[in-house]
Amino acid sequence: MGLDTETARFLLSSRRDGASFRRCVTLGRQNYFLGNREAEVLLRENGIDPAQFPKLFAQQYSRYRYSEDFWEVLGTEELVMLDASSYEGATWVHDLNRPIPDDWHRRFDAVCDLGTLEHVFHLPVALKNCMEMVDLGGHLFLMTPANNFLGHGFYQFSPELFHRVLCEANGYCVERMVAVEYGPRRRWYEVADPARIRARVALINTYPVMLFVRARRTAMTAVLRDDPQQSDCSAQWSNQATPAQSGEVDRLASARLDRIKRLLLERFPRLARALEGFRYSTWNPEWTFRNRRSFTPVPRQRR
């Protein structure tokens, strides 16, 4: 768990957009992985004079350095570090698999997960805990694995999950969701809501991808009173038309494609399976960051 260049950039840009970190809780005590030169550039890009924060630059890079000095840059006056054990000096010790105490509700302006939720087995409980700690008008920040992190924790997360959970029914709205590809170029992409584009936002790629989410609490409604459903399934259930009634042209095209698939599979099964493999690969732009319905590149100046 910790602050690297990209997570620091996301938090700083959120501060620039008006998010408050005055009362802040982090899930775990966060390490600090930036070099001084990187930090100086980031601060200047966000209109902050590095000379105002000499403690941030008092030490050289170390993988064992903690991040408290960085939260001061964000304007944090009260910093609580929440963890399941006191091993790293947490302020509060609590297992997020269990509901939080009532007096922790609406306690913070910012609740920040920089790599914890994927390690918590009872994810709905943990996510509900995080949502309930945010005060009205405050923000929930999630920086969590999305792709190519198999074995890192219990889970990797889909954009669909956070769009369906951090929604109006639960008193939230997603202000920003970015997929960050941790390759040599560190590319950023704004992620579409699957319900809006009426398609699943899927990805097959080479490098690890983190999902950065900023969601604002807009109403003090009950959190997760109803179980979320995947948007394309809900749309199918609510559509009264049968597949045969959904359009003669589409139905005929689908029938032709089905005949071709069946013919290939029966006569040339190895070729059919090979072609199927190409479909679910980076050769198919529908499954990659080249899919502009799902992913919009973020220019450097907008990060």
Side-chain angles (χ1 to χ4, degrees):
M1 298 178 296
L3 276 154
D4 65 5
T5 311
E6 306 311 314
T7 55
R9 178 175 282 115
F10 187 75
L11 293 171
L12 284 166
S13 67
S14 296
R15 172 189 174 276
R16 187 182 64 213
D17 290 343
S20 171
F21 293 86
R22 187 177 66 84
R23 299 171 300 160
C24 180
V25 60
T26 64
L27 306 190
R29 190 179 184 188
Q30 303 300 312
N31 292 101
Y32 180 79
F33 298 127
L34 280 74
N36 285 341
R37 187 170 182 178
E38 290 177 307
E40 182 178 346
V41 170
L42 277 178
L43 265 59
R44 292 192 187 282
E45 285 178 352
N46 286 274
I48 302 171
D49 182 4
Q52 294 180 352
F53 301 96
K55 286 196 299 182
L56 185 66
F57 301 95
Q59 303 178 46
Q60 296 299 316
Y61 168 82
S62 169
R63 61 178 298 186
Y64 301 108
R65 181 183 173 186
Y66 289 110
S67 64
E68 283 85 330
D69 295 332
F70 181 82
W71 297 100
E72 292 185 15
V73 177
L74 293 172
T76 302
E77 298 175 9
E78 178 190 5
L79 178 64
V80 172
M81 296 166 288
L82 172 62
D83 211 334
S85 81
S86 58
Y87 173 70
E88 290 190 287
T91 314
W92 292 355
V93 175
H94 180 83
D95 185 350
L96 286 173
N97 286 294
R98 306 287 178 261
I100 57 172
D102 289 343
D103 60 351
W104 291 10
H105 290 206
R106 296 189 57 175
R107 180 76 168 70
F108 299 99
D109 302 304
V111 174
C112 301
D113 169 32
L114 277 68
T116 293
L117 286 180
E118 69 270 22
H119 303 288
V120 182
F121 180 71
H122 290 290
L123 174 68
V125 176
L127 189 52
K128 183 178 181 181
N129 285 337
C130 292
M131 295 168 71
E132 287 180 331
M133 284 191 287
V134 180
D135 199 1
L136 184 64
H139 289 84
L140 175 61
F141 294 91
L142 305 173
M143 292 80 167
T144 194
N147 232 37
N148 298 325
F149 277 95
L150 183 67
H152 170 74
F154 286 126
Y155 308 104
Q156 301 180 92
F157 297 113
S158 163
E160 180 87 52
L161 171 67
F162 298 121
H163 274 296
R164 300 289 72 78
V165 171
L166 300 169
C167 63
E168 183 179 359
N170 292 318
Y172 274 84
C173 72
V174 174
E175 290 186 338
R176 194 176 193 193
M177 184 180 294
V178 178
V180 180
E181 188 179 47
Y182 274 72
R185 296 171 58 188
R186 297 288 175 97
R187 296 182 295 183
W188 286 34
Y189 298 88
E190 301 280 356
V191 183
D193 181 351
R196 182 181 62 80
I197 65 173
R198 299 182 180 181
R200 293 183 177 180
V201 174
L203 179 66
I204 297 172
N205 75 310
T206 302
Y207 300 107
V209 175
M210 294 286 288
L211 202 61
F212 291 179
V213 182
R214 183 179 80 220
R216 180 167 53 88
R217 192 165 197 182
T218 57
M220 301 310 298
T221 58
V223 172
L224 293 179
R225 180 171 46 196
D226 300 316
D227 295 331
Q229 300 289 347
Q230 196 162 338
S231 59
D232 59 339
C233 296
S234 297
Q236 287 179 336
W237 299 335
S238 63
N239 185 2
Q240 299 303 311
T242 66
Q245 297 170 327
S246 61
E248 184 68 16
V249 174
D250 289 344
R251 187 178 66 81
L252 291 174
S254 178
R256 289 194 206 98
L257 184 60
D258 189 57
R259 284 197 298 271
I260 294 171
K261 287 181 179 178
R262 191 162 57 245
L263 178 66
L264 276 175
L265 190 58
E266 294 301 330
R267 296 191 179 183
F268 311 102
R270 296 182 66 180
L271 175 61
R273 295 309 182 196
L275 291 174
E276 188 177 58
F278 279 110
R279 179 189 175 193
Y280 297 105
S281 73
T282 55
W283 289 86
N284 183 353
E286 286 295 306
W287 294 86
T288 72
F289 281 126
R290 301 194 300 277
N291 182 348
R292 291 295 175 259
R293 279 194 312 165
S294 299
F295 304 105
T296 305
V298 180
R300 182 84 181 183
Q301 61 270 22
R302 287 192 54 228
R303 298 181 186 178

